Amino acid sequence: MSDTSLDTTPGRPVRLVPTAPGFWMLTLGVCIAALSPLFGFLVGVMSQRPEGEVPLDPLYLGLFIGVVVGGMGVLLAVVGGVRLWRHYKGVRVSTPQDVEAP
């Protein structure tokens, strides 16, 4: 069997670049913030209304929990966005070993 499958003809080089820090945190935060109120509403609609009188309807409770989780997703997206911004703008926090002695 010949090694024609390992063809190493010159061509355009492939350069793999890792994703910037904060990208996946930002993406996950936006998805959570967008979808959690919808899922909370869906869970509230699917739950049955109790027979007796309750202080809070399951629909409102599910939507409230979805909004709270969505708020956490917004915080996650903001933190990821700040990390991404700092990466692309080159903002560095100086540490004690970075500062030169006079």
Side-chain angles (χ1 to χ4, degrees):
M1 184 165 161
S2 66
D3 287 333
T4 57
S5 63
L6 300 175
D7 191 15
T8 57
T9 57
R12 198 168 96 197
V14 176
R15 187 174 145 224
L16 300 176
V17 180
T19 58
F23 172 77
W24 291 113
M25 189 183 300
L26 175 69
T27 305
L28 182 68
V30 167
C31 290
I32 289 173
L35 295 178
S36 64
L38 297 173
F39 283 128
F41 185 73
L42 179 67
V43 168
V45 168
M46 287 178 9
S47 61
Q48 295 178 355
R49 188 178 183 123
E51 294 294 326
E53 190 166 326
V54 292
L56 194 59
D57 198 38
L59 175 65
Y60 299 126
L61 184 63
L63 186 57
F64 178 75
I65 291 172
V67 167
V68 169
V69 172
M72 290 181 204
V74 168
L75 289 176
L76 188 69
V78 167
V79 170
V82 167
R83 286 185 67 193
L84 198 63
W85 177 268
R86 286 183 180 166
H87 174 74
Y88 283 124
K89 293 300 177 182
V91 176
R92 284 186 41 191
V93 177
S94 63
T95 58
Q97 65 258 22
D98 290 342
V99 179
E100 294 181 14

